[in-house]
Amino acid sequence: MAGLGQPVREGALRTWMLKGLQRPESQLAESQPDHHHSWWQVMCLTGVDYFSTLGYQPGIAALAAGALSPVATLLLVALTLFGALPTYRAVAGESPNGLGSLSMLERLLPGWRGKLLVLFLLGFVATAFIVTITLSAADATAHILHNPFVPDSLAGWQVPVTLVLIAALGAVFLVGFSEAISIAVVLVGVYLLLNLVVVTTAVLHVLAEPERVTGWRNVLADDYASPLAMVAVSLYIMPKLALGLSGFETGVAVMPLVKGEVDVRIKGARKLLTTAALIMSVFLITSSFATTVLIPAGEFAEGGAANGRALAYLAHEYLGDWFGTAYDLSTIAILWFAGASALAGLLNIVPRYLPRYGMAPDWSRASRPMVLVFTAVSVLITLFFDAEVEVQGGAYATGVLALILSAAVAVTLSAWTGGRLRAAAFFGVVTLIFGYATVANIIERPDGLVIALLFVLAIVVISLVSRATRSTELRVTRITLDDQARQFINEVGEIYLIANEPHARNSKEYVDKMREAWELHRLRTSEGPIFLEVTIPDASEFAGELHVVGEERHGFRVLRMRSTTVANAIAALLLHLRDETRKTPHVYFHWAAEGNPIGALLRYLVFGGGDIPPLTREVLRQAEPDPDRRPIVHVG
């Protein structure tokens, strides 16, 4: 009896791990949340990603720009308000269901071009979200270990503590986790309030000690010949500060949570994007100025007390360790929640795109296996970067800038194709600026591009293998017949369908095809055969609905369909007719012209054609394991 327990436990574990696997892909792509909220509440969900960068952004800016940090940050804010914000306000108007700029590019570039571009960009999406998890956990660890109440013996435990935080995040998602607006509102509200206190206190100290400002200005005067030189160097440095732009893609992703109809939702999303950008801009400018003036440069370096926690340093320095500890706890909480938001984003993106393309393993539709995959990747990234906050900034900036660049390209193309030439020109300039920032960041710190390309390679390879292995699945989600098609089926005794590849569709074509059916299969006109024709508008789509149209042409009855593949459409229709009529349908083919079978397989995978008869039978064999109930395929 003991031996019987193991299979039971394995079965229970498999069921638990694959919970949610059978959700229909069509519902995944169009699913809407059960609860909706005011735009300012949804803004807080965006804010756990966007505002949490205050935990490390001032320190990274100081390391990258030194005394020039406030000037470079000012340029970043200008790019935020006059570049990224208008871009994503436009994205919100054109993609109100939360699919973002990727879906815009998919629509603007139909077919395989759009899907391959989406696969490529998904590598950068994965980079941005995975590094959000690792960077946020590493910065949360920095706030833990540098707290004065934490024993000094833990000083070298940066990597282990970071790994524990990442593992805890994965464990919570395995048990079950959903983004809670109420938690985000509390976290963001407390975090912004504490930051307001810290920044206000720091600015007051700057005003009370004008000699510090004088010293800072003297450093700038000694290092740079003119204000123009400062701006030029700031433009060069600015791409390194792109972490301060991280919340815009999340802002459009959470749009479906905003209450109201589509127009109201779009207005609400634009309000949350604008409000978040204004709040963040104020904090970026003031925090950068205060930390640069008040904190000694050496404290920003690796091992320094302000490394990865510049505002926490000021909180402890000017408001005491108890307030500083409260600030640390608030920062740790929002950083951890930012990681949770990123992981939830990844779990949302996979079923929205890859399964719909047929480019993901079947188990990827269940969240728990994907949690294990993403957690394992996060662990590897943490070990690779040694859990250093500043070192991961380049990889994070690469992912963020690539996403914003794709959004800028999408709205530029949309404005151009829509005839809005002024808007196209404006967004074209924004695209060039973000293009420069992306390229400059990659040249300066190529590790982010390397990680993104590794993600791209993994996604493309897994996608193509998955598409090939799933190609003979029954992909039709729904079948409908118009009145004429239904009448044809009801009038015949037995269902005999002649597969015809439509060309001229003239009388000669149908007569020749009928003669071929007699010569190969001894099928007579008196037996009431019906011609079956399938056209492929877009073979890159994996699944879809099938609408069957009946028509009389040159005295022959014809059923016409449009589908992503011929074989899958024919097999799906045969099974549907069997279930509807309780009859066994027959379909008649002729052998395809001789050729390389590998070439035929590639034509099937890429163009939806290929060697139709054996593929149709294979789809039927997989969909109906009982040979006695399986529709019959005739080939001659």
Side-chain angles (χ1 to χ4, degrees):
M1 294 296 291
L4 297 177
Q6 185 66 22
V8 173
R9 287 193 295 270
E10 290 178 356
L13 177 62
R14 176 180 173 83
T15 301
W16 180 75
M17 286 293 294
L18 298 182
K19 183 179 180 181
L21 179 64
Q22 300 302 325
R23 291 175 297 170
E25 291 167 5
S26 59
Q27 292 181 10
L28 285 170
E30 302 171 1
S31 60
Q32 295 295 325
D34 296 328
H35 303 285
H36 298 83
H37 308 269
S38 300
W39 67 265
W40 62 269
Q41 293 175 306
V42 181
M43 182 193 72
C44 293
L45 192 59
T46 304
V48 297
D49 178 16
Y50 197 13
F51 300 144
S52 67
T53 58
L54 287 171
Y56 45 81
Q57 171 79 2
I60 289 178
L63 277 175
L68 201 59
S69 173
V71 180
T73 300
L74 192 61
L75 289 178
L76 177 69
V77 167
L79 184 59
T80 297
L81 298 179
F82 302 107
L85 179 59
T87 296
Y88 277 93
R89 284 174 61 92
V91 171
E94 299 200 34
S95 183
N97 293 320
L99 295 177
S101 57
L102 294 187
S103 68
M104 290 178 61
L105 291 171
E106 185 184 21
R107 291 197 306 269
L108 292 168
L109 298 172
W112 283 110
R113 291 179 303 162
K115 289 177 176 56
L116 291 176
L117 178 59
V118 168
L119 289 179
F120 179 79
L121 291 176
L122 282 176
F124 290 90
V125 171
T127 301
F129 282 129
I130 288 290
V131 180
T132 296
I133 296 170
T134 61
L135 180 60
S136 297
D139 195 52
T141 300
H143 283 78
I144 293 172
L145 298 184
H146 284 86
N147 187 278
F149 297 113
V150 174
D152 294 337
S153 58
L154 296 178
W157 285 49
Q158 180 75 20
V159 173
V161 174
T162 302
L163 293 178
V164 168
L165 291 177
I166 292 173
L169 181 64
V172 168
F173 271 82
L174 284 175
V175 172
F177 179 86
S178 60
E179 291 175 328
I181 291 287
S182 57
I183 297 176
V185 170
V186 173
L187 285 177
V188 169
V190 172
Y191 183 69
L192 290 181
L193 179 61
L194 293 177
N195 272 282
L196 180 62
V197 173
V198 173
V199 171
T200 301
T201 302
V203 170
L204 290 176
H205 275 83
V206 169
L207 295 176
E209 304 176 57
E211 65 277 5
R212 289 180 179 267
V213 179
T214 301
W216 169 65
R217 294 174 61 183
N218 290 338
V219 171
L220 289 179
D222 292 340
D223 292 344
Y224 304 98
S226 66
L228 187 60
M230 296 180 194
V231 173
V233 175
S234 296
L235 286 172
Y236 175 76
I237 294 171
M238 186 265 296
K240 299 180 182 180
L241 312 186
L243 289 76
L245 297 167
S246 65
F248 286 100
E249 195 70 27
T250 307
V252 293
V254 298
M255 279 185 66
L257 293 172
V258 179
K259 68 170 62 173
E261 299 298 327
V262 173
D263 291 344
V264 177
R265 188 192 311 159
I266 292 173
K267 291 179 181 178
R270 287 172 171 169
K271 286 180 182 179
L272 78 84
L273 289 169
T274 303
T275 305
L278 290 173
I279 292 173
M280 190 63 174
S281 296
V282 172
F283 274 113
L284 283 174
I285 293 172
T286 53
S287 64
S288 176
F289 177 70
T291 53
T292 302
V293 172
L294 294 177
I295 300 177
E299 297 292 351
F300 291 109
E302 182 179 348
N307 182 253
R309 54 184 299 277
L311 289 175
Y313 177 96
L314 294 179
H316 285 274
E317 182 75 14
Y318 294 111
L319 293 165
D321 288 338
W322 285 106
F323 183 90
T325 299
Y327 182 84
D328 284 339
L329 292 174
S330 173
T331 304
I332 293 165
I334 199 170
L335 286 168
W336 190 89
F337 206 84
S341 177
L343 184 52
L346 283 170
L347 296 174
N348 189 41
I349 286 173
V350 169
R352 282 193 173 190
Y353 287 101
L354 296 184
R356 185 159 53 89
Y357 296 172
M359 292 182 170
D362 197 46
W363 51 261
S364 68
R365 290 183 290 161
S367 63
R368 289 188 174 109
M370 297 308 298
V371 169
L372 294 177
V373 171
F374 294 136
T375 302
V377 173
S378 299
V379 168
L380 292 176
I381 296 294
T382 297
L383 294 173
F384 178 79
F385 285 113
D386 204 27
E388 291 292 338
V389 175
E390 196 276 333
V391 177
Q392 295 181 68
Y396 191 24
T398 297
V400 170
L401 286 170
L403 290 179
I404 298 179
L405 176 60
S406 70
V409 171
V411 296
T412 301
L413 291 176
S414 178
W416 179 266
T417 55
R420 295 175 285 118
L421 300 185
R422 288 186 179 180
F426 171 78
F427 288 121
V429 173
V430 173
T431 299
L432 292 175
I433 294 173
F434 279 112
Y436 151 73
T438 304
V439 172
N441 183 75
I442 289 173
I443 293 174
E444 177 71 17
R445 295 180 288 186
D447 49 356
L449 178 63
V450 172
I451 292 173
L453 292 180
L454 288 175
F455 277 121
V456 169
L457 179 63
I459 288 172
V460 170
V461 170
I462 292 172
S463 297
L464 295 180
V465 171
S466 175
R467 179 89 178 204
T469 56
R470 297 184 62 194
S471 61
T472 53
E473 288 183 9
L474 198 63
R475 310 187 205 169
V476 176
T477 57
R478 183 167 176 261
I479 299 177
T480 57
L481 281 71
D482 72 356
D483 293 339
Q484 185 73 77
R486 194 170 295 281
Q487 179 181 339
F488 288 165
I489 298 299
N490 291 335
E491 287 177 349
V492 297
E494 297 296 325
I495 302 175
Y496 299 119
L497 303 177
I498 301 175
N500 177 51
E501 184 177 0
H503 295 290
R505 305 191 75 225
N506 54 23
S507 176
K508 182 178 183 302
E509 178 177 323
Y510 292 108
V511 170
D512 290 346
K513 194 69 179 179
M514 195 66 235
R515 182 183 299 112
E516 178 187 84
W518 164 251
E519 292 173 351
L520 296 178
H521 308 290
R522 290 297 185 260
L523 185 64
R524 299 179 178 86
T525 305
S526 59
E527 293 177 291
I530 303 173
F531 286 98
L532 181 60
E533 300 176 347
V534 183
T535 55
I536 305 173
D538 183 3
S540 67
E541 291 293 334
F542 185 73
E545 296 186 0
L546 198 63
H547 183 59
V548 185
V549 177
E551 67 172 276
E552 287 202 25
R553 197 168 183 86
H554 307 294
F556 297 97
R557 292 173 294 187
V558 182
L559 298 180
R560 293 190 295 110
M561 304 183 292
R562 292 162 60 90
S563 178
T564 58
T565 67
V566 176
N568 280 271
I570 293 175
L573 178 63
L574 293 174
L575 292 170
H576 178 77
L577 294 178
R578 179 203 65 185
D579 295 338
E580 289 287 314
T581 64
R582 307 300 180 188
K583 301 174 183 177
T584 301
H586 298 248
V587 63
Y588 295 86
F589 297 96
H590 70 273
W591 285 113
E594 294 184 2
N596 191 317
I598 296 178
L601 178 61
L602 291 176
R603 288 195 300 274
Y604 171 65
L605 294 176
V606 178
F607 302 111
D611 198 356
I612 306 301
L615 288 169
T616 302
R617 186 185 182 283
E618 179 60 21
V619 175
L620 287 170
R621 188 188 68 81
Q622 290 191 23
E624 177 51 75
D626 184 357
D628 294 333
R629 300 192 68 246
R630 195 180 298 156
I632 300 174
V633 176
H634 304 266
V635 188

